[in-house]
Structure formats: structure tokens, C-alpha cells
């Protein structure tokens, strides 16, 4: 049914336009001396109102609009003259021309092109000669009006009706309408100027005007596209059409500046909406977000609502905005929403980063405390099992433990301080490490003359203690294995190796890269050490993993 109704509407629209041209033709053939000219023109105007593509024909016409149309029609018929007819036919030609470019169906486009040809012939060969008072063309005009143009109307009547989507939407292009009307007006006035100034005939003046307009159009076409370093009128024209007004450009610039300067999302939103109220057509706005709300200016019946996740923005305008401005407003409001959500995500990332820093610092301090407590347990076991050796061991190790406790307390007071600030020569650190773990039955290997640069004490203490403690815990599960700590100066590296079983491949691939299950702790020790080493310019890796030889090595990054 819908298809049948659409086809019926298209056929009625076609015949209305055809009847409109027939009424106009009969009125012009009868001439201004006939009493039927004005009724025929009134019929022509009524058919135009039924056919016109500017408003939908199914819309209801109010009493005020009907009175206005009737009044203007009567005034036009009372003051009817050739100037008014020339203006009317030119406008009708431009209106049809603006409509013909919207069609894609072949026969529909041909019908409207013939309609344009008919109106152009009427204007140039019937209306303009009477307008300029040219009796010499009377016989040619009579033959044209009696045989030529009726034949053209007959051809138009037999053109098939095709379905076209543009017919349903009543699409027109106002830019083409203005352009065609301006060109047709230029053609008529140019011909009149040539006739008056050059004292030549109408046809010669018409040809000269057409030639000049053709040259102008060719020049505009050549300058339309960019070439030879010239940007072209196309870019300038597109930029002009896309620029609704400088307030939009200014607001976009301020929005970008606010996004760079403001870190807090709510402050950014308040500042951006304050800039938005400076638009001349806005009377006020209100916004609501998950963390606050605000109102600026005054409300009005004309409102535009835009939502972007948990942010809702309501804009109030002084009057109803056009569809183009409405599209730009929604685009700019969504852009504001995207900026605001980006600020929210930045704030969440900063909070996550801060929490991650606290977590990493706490995890390192936890391991430091664990290693220090294990050293205390080892010292107390030495004092209990070997009293004769306790005194010298305690004299050597207690200052070291005191220094480590002070370092931990300093980290607790300033958790974000640089942990790698304290450095020691490699030989001094190596000797302290051997004394701290001398009771663990470890084989120590190093060059006779230990040189090399200073190293960060906190990092290497944490790495060595974790790896040695893991090897000792493994020795409890696998008695009899040996633990070897090897120091190499050129190139610098520290290796901790045990002769126990290999680490399963499923765990070995994840080790040092993420948190893995552990039988002796939380499984985050080596992961934290590996991250710390990478941040300090070192690399912790598992260089060997085989039965009887499992080796971890820390070295400088190349």
C-alpha cells in the first residue's frame, strides 16, 4: 500500500507541474489584453502551491497563512506586468533547477531538464522581448508559442514516471537556486545593458551576455580546483560553509587550552561550560555529572540535551536553531563530553599510579623486613648453638643490621624518595654480603682484586638476599644441594646458582614477569626485584634452568 501511495503521489506531482506549465503557457499566449490571463495565472499559482517542493503538501495550512497567500496573489495579479512575470519565471526556473540535481532516476531528471528548457525559452523569447519592447521579434515569438513550446510540453507529457527517493523527500538545493537565479538575472540585465550602451539588437546582446557568462564559468571552473600552488576556491568555499561562526572556533581553542591547563575533571568542566555560555545564541546551560552539577545563565523553552556516559549537558537557546547549527552544537557538546571523560580517566590513572607506587614501596619494604628478620633469626641461632662464636659475629653484623633498620625507617618516612641514592664500592658491598650470610654454608667465588664502579646498596641487598633465601629454602626441601654465589667484574654480574632440581617450565616462563604461586611466600619477591632492577638500569634473569644447575644473574643493561 505504501508503494502504491508513493507512486500515486509521484504521478499527481508530475501532472500538477505539467498543468502548471500549461496554465502559464495559455496565459502568455492569450496576452495581457485578454480577460482570461489573470484567471489562468491564478490557476497557475494555485497549482504551483500544490506542487511546490518547499513545504510538504500534507501539512495543514493555517488561517493566517491562507489569508497571506491569497492577499499576495491578489496584489500580484492587480499589479501584474512583464517585470513581475520575468521575476516569477526566473524564480521558478531556479527552483526547478535546484530540484533537478537531487534526482537520480534518468527519466525524472530528463523531465525536469525539459521543464527548465521550457521556462528558459519562455523567459528569453516571450517575457524579455515584451519587457524590453522589441516588436521585431513578434512573428518569431508567435510561431514559437503556437508550435514550438506546445510540442515541448507534449514531449514532457509522454515521459514515463519513475520512482525516486528524492521525490518522496522533496529535496531541493538552495545553493543551486541562488546560483541559477543570479545567473539568469545577470543574463537579462547584461542583455539590457548591451542593448542600451552598444545600440545592438536583442539577440546579439543575448549572445554577448551568454558568451561572457560562459567565460566566467570556465574561469571559475579552472580556479575551483587547486593547481600551481593555488589552494583553489573549493577549499575556501568548503571552509566557509563548515565555519558556522567565529564563536565556535574561539570556543574550540579555549577548550583545547583548558584541557591542557586543568587536571581536575570538574574544574575543567566548569571552565569549558563557562566558555560555552559566551555563544551569542545561547541563553544558558546546565550540566550534571557523577561528581557535581552546575547552572549558568537563564533557561528557555528551546533546549538541546546531550548525554555522554554519566555527564548530561542541557543547552538553552534564545530561539529554535537550524538543523546545521544543531548538528554542530551536538558535535561540540559530545566533544566536551569526550574531553571530560578523558580527564576522568587521567585522574583514575593518576590514582592507580599512586596506589601502585605505594604498593611497590610497601612490597619492597616487606621483603627488606623479612630479610632483616631472617638475619636476626640466623644470628640468634648462632648465639644459641655456638656461644663461643657469637661475640665476634654479633660485633660484625649488628652495625649492618642497624644500618638496614635505619634505611627502612627512612623509606617509611619518605616512601617516594629515591631508593638507589645510597651506593657503595663493589668490594665493600661484597664483603658485607659474605659476612651477613657466612653461616648459610654458601660457596663464594670472586676475583682476587675486586674493582668496578659503585653499586646501589638497597637494590643489590634485596636481590642477593631474596635469591639466597630462595636457594636456602630449596635446600630444606632438597637436602644436600650446594649454593654458589659468583661475582664477576668484567663484565659486571652477580650470579646465584643451586644444584637442585629445575624449575617447571610453566613457572619458569612467568617467573620475573608476573606474580607466580610460591610455596614459601606470596610469590612477588623476584617479580618486585626484577622491576626494581629494570628501573635502575640492571637486568635480573634466569640464565640457566636445568637439573643440577639453576642460575639467576643480575647484570647491567647494555
Amino acid at each position: 500500500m505504501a508503494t502504491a501511495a508513493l507512486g500515486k503521489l509521484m504521478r499527481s506531482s508530475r501532472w500538477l507541474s505539467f498543468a502548471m506549465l500549461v496554465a502559464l503557457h495559455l496565459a502568455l499566449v492569450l496576452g495581457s489584453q485578454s480577460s482570461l490571463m489573470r484567471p489562468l495565472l491564478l490557476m497557475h499559482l494555485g497549482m504551483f502551491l500544490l506542487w511546490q517542493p518547499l513545504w510538504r503538501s500534507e501539512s495543514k495550512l493555517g488561517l493566517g497563512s491562507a489569508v497571506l497567500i491569497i492577499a499576495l496573489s491578489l496584489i500580484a495579479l492587480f499589479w501584474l506586468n512583464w517585470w513581475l512575470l520575468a521575476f516569477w519565471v526566473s524564480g521558478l526556473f531556479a527552483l526547478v533547477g535546484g530540484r533537478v540535481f537531487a534526482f537520480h532516476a534518468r527519466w525524472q531528471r530528463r523531465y525536469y531538464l525539459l521543464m527548465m528548457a521550457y521556462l528558459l525559452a519562455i523567459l528569453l523569447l516571450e517575457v524579455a522581448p515584451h519587457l524590453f519592447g522589441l516588436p521585431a521579434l513578434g512573428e518569431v515569438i508567435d510561431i514559437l508559442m503556437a508550435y514550438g513550446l506546445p510540442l515541448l510540453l507534449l514531449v514532457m507529457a509522454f515521459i514515463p514516471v519513475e520512482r525516486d527517493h528524492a521525490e518522496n523527500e522533496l529535496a531541493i538545493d538552495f545553493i543551486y537556486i541562488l546560483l541559477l537565479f543570479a545567473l539568469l538575472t545577470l543574463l537579462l540585465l547584461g542583455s539590457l545593458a548591451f542593448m542600451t550602451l552598444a545600440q545592438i539588437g536583442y539577440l546579439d546582446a543575448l549572445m554577448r551576455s551568454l558568451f561572457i557568462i560562459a567565460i566566467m564559468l570556465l574561469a571559475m571552473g579552472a580556479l575551483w580546483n587547486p593547481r600551481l600552488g593555488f589552494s583553489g576556491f573549493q577549499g575556501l568555499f568548503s571552509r566557509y560553509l563548515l565555519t558556522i561562526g567565529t564563536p565556535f572556533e574561539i570556543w574550540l581553542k579555549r577548550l583545547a587550552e583548558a584541557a591542557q591547563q586543568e587536571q581536575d575533571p570538574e574544574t575543567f568542566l566548569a571552565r569549558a561550560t563557562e566558555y560555552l555560555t559566551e555563544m551569542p545564541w545561547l541563553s544558558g546551560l546546565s550540566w550534571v555529572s557523577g561528581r557535581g552539577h552546575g547552572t549558568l545563565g537563564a533557561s528557555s523553552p528551546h533546549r538541546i540535551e546531550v548525554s555522554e556516559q554519566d555527564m548530561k549537558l542541557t543547552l538553552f537557546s534564545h530561539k529554535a536553531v537550524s538543523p546545521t547549527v544543531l548538528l554542530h552544537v551536538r558535535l561540540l557538546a559530545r566533544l566536551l563530553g569526550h574531553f571530560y571523560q578523558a580527564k576522568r580517566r587521567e585522574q583514575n590513572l593518576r590514582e592507580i599510579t599512586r596506589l601502585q607506587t605505594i604498593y611497590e614501596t610497601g612490597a619492597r619494604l616487606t621483603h627488606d623486613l623479612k630479610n632483616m628478620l631472617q638475619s636476626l633469626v640466623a644470628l640468634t641461632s648462632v648465639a644459641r648453638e655456638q656461644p663461643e662464636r657469637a661475640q665476634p659475629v654479633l660485633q660484625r653484623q649488628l652495625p649492618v643490621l642497624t644500618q638496614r633498620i635505619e634505611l627502612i625507617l627512612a623509606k617509611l618516612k619518605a616512601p617516594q624518595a629515591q631508593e638507589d641514592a645510597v651506593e657503595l664500592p663493589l668490594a665493600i658491598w661484597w664483603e658485607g654480603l659474605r659476612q651477613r650470610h657466612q653461616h648459610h654454608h654458601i660457596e663464594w667465588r670472586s676475583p682476587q682484586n675486586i674493582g668496578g664502579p659503585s653499586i646501589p646498596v638497597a637494590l643489590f641487598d634485596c636481590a642477593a638476599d631474596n635469591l639466597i633465601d630462595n636457594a636456602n629454602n630449596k635446600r630444606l626441601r632438597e637436602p644436600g644441594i650446594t649454593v654458589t654465589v659468583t661475582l664477576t667484574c668484567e663484565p659486571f654480574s652477580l650470579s646465584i646458582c643451586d644444584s637442585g632440581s629445575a624449575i617447571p617450565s610453566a613457572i619458569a616462563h612467568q617467573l620475573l614477569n608476573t606474580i607466580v604461586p610460591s610455596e614459601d611466600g606470596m610469590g612477588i619477591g623476584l617479580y618486585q626485584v626484577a622491576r626494581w632492577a629494570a628501573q635502575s638500569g640492571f637486568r635480573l634473569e634466569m640464565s640457566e634452568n636445568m637439573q643440577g644447575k639453576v642460575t639467576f644473574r643480575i647484570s647491567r643493561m647494555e
Side-chain angles (χ1 to χ4, degrees), residues 64-76:
S65 301
V67 171
L68 179 62
I69 291 175
I70 294 174
L72 291 177
S73 302
L74 293 177
I75 292 174

Side-chain angles (χ1 to χ4, degrees), residues 332-343:
L332 294 179
R334 290 192 178 276
L335 184 62
L336 172 61
H338 283 298
F339 269 101
Y340 173 71
Q341 298 301 331
K343 289 296 178 182

Side-chain angles (χ1 to χ4, degrees), residues 34-107:
S34 175
S35 60
L36 296 177
M37 183 179 183
R38 282 177 170 80
L40 287 173
L41 287 178
L42 185 61
M43 183 188 303
H44 164 78
L45 183 60
M47 291 179 181
F48 168 77
L49 292 176
L50 293 176
W51 167 82
Q52 52 79 28
L54 300 177
W55 303 280
R56 294 186 178 274
S57 58
E58 66 269 15
S59 59
K60 185 177 180 179
L61 189 64
L63 179 60
S65 301
V67 171
L68 179 62
I69 291 175
I70 294 174
L72 291 177
S73 302
L74 293 177
I75 292 174
L77 292 177
F78 180 77
W79 294 100
L80 182 64
N81 55 52
W82 290 109
W83 280 105
L84 185 60
L85 283 175
F87 178 81
W88 173 253
V89 175
S90 300
L92 193 60
F93 174 85
L95 183 62
V96 176
R99 185 168 168 78
V100 71
F101 294 103
F103 288 101
H104 302 285
R106 180 180 58 179
W107 290 109

Side-chain angles (χ1 to χ4, degrees), residues 178-436:
L178 295 176
L179 179 61
L180 290 175
F181 185 81
L183 288 176
L184 206 54
T185 304
L186 180 63
L187 178 61
L188 289 177
L189 296 180
S191 301
L192 179 60
F194 275 119
M195 291 172 56
T196 304
L197 299 177
Q199 299 295 323
I200 59 176
Y202 171 68
L203 294 179
D204 290 339
L206 184 63
M207 291 298 105
R208 290 189 182 186
S209 300
L210 286 174
F211 180 76
I212 293 176
I213 292 176
I215 294 297
M216 291 174 56
L217 292 178
L218 288 175
M220 290 290 294
L223 296 175
W224 185 255
N225 295 319
R227 62 187 64 191
L228 299 178
F230 177 61
S231 60
F233 290 151
Q234 181 181 8
L236 299 176
F237 187 69
S238 301
R239 188 159 55 247
Y240 173 77
L241 290 180
L242 293 176
T243 302
I244 301 300
T246 54
F248 284 96
E249 299 177 356
I250 295 174
W251 184 78
L252 284 176
K253 181 180 179 181
R254 290 182 174 180
L255 180 66
E257 293 176 352
Q260 293 179 354
Q261 297 172 1
E262 299 294 342
Q263 298 296 327
D264 181 65
E266 305 307 320
T267 306
F268 163 76
L269 184 59
R271 183 174 172 183
T273 51
E274 183 179 356
Y275 291 152
L276 193 58
T277 55
E278 297 179 5
M279 295 288 182
W281 46 269
L282 276 182
S283 62
L285 60 86
S286 63
W287 55 271
V288 178
S289 65
R291 301 184 181 182
H293 60 88
T295 302
L296 295 174
S299 61
S300 70
H302 308 288
R303 53 192 297 163
I304 305 170
E305 296 184 354
V306 181
S307 298
E308 187 66 29
Q309 296 185 11
D310 61 342
M311 189 202 75
K312 295 182 179 179
L313 183 65
T314 304
L315 304 174
F316 301 99
S317 60
H318 296 288
K319 58 182 180 179
V321 298
S322 64
T324 304
V325 177
L326 179 61
L327 178 63
H328 280 75
V329 169
R330 291 188 178 275
L331 178 62
L332 294 179
R334 290 192 178 276
L335 184 62
L336 172 61
H338 283 298
F339 269 101
Y340 173 71
Q341 298 301 331
K343 289 296 178 182
R344 292 280 301 274
R345 289 190 291 269
E346 288 179 7
Q347 187 179 44
N348 292 335
L349 286 175
R350 287 195 299 270
E351 294 175 355
I352 292 173
T353 303
R354 188 178 298 110
L355 291 176
Q356 184 178 3
T357 302
I358 296 173
Y359 155 73
E360 291 181 354
T361 304
R364 293 172 185 174
L365 293 178
T366 301
H367 283 287
D368 289 343
L369 289 172
K370 184 193 73 171
N371 296 332
M372 186 188 65
L373 292 175
Q374 287 177 345
S375 299
L376 287 174
V377 170
L379 289 176
T380 55
S381 64
V382 169
R384 185 178 60 254
E385 296 175 1
Q386 301 177 4
E388 66 281 358
R389 297 180 52 194
Q391 186 66 27
V393 172
L394 290 175
Q395 289 179 352
R396 289 192 301 267
Q397 294 298 323
L398 284 179
V400 178
L401 290 176
T402 302
Q403 183 181 4
R404 297 182 66 183
I405 292 173
E406 292 176 351
L407 182 60
I408 293 175
L409 291 175
K411 292 179 183 179
L412 288 174
K413 292 179 181 179
Q416 296 183 353
Q418 185 68 26
E419 295 177 318
D420 298 338
V422 180
E423 294 187 354
L424 282 178
L426 183 58
I428 298 176
W429 175 84
W430 175 255
E431 184 62 28
L433 179 67
R434 291 185 57 182
Q435 292 181 7
R436 193 162 64 247

Side-chain angles (χ1 to χ4, degrees), residues 110-129:
R110 290 179 178 177
Y111 174 81
Y112 282 99
L113 286 175
L114 290 178
M115 191 174 178
M116 290 178 64
Y118 173 81
L119 293 172
L120 184 61
I122 286 291
L123 177 65
L124 297 180
L125 301 178
E126 171 67 17
V127 178

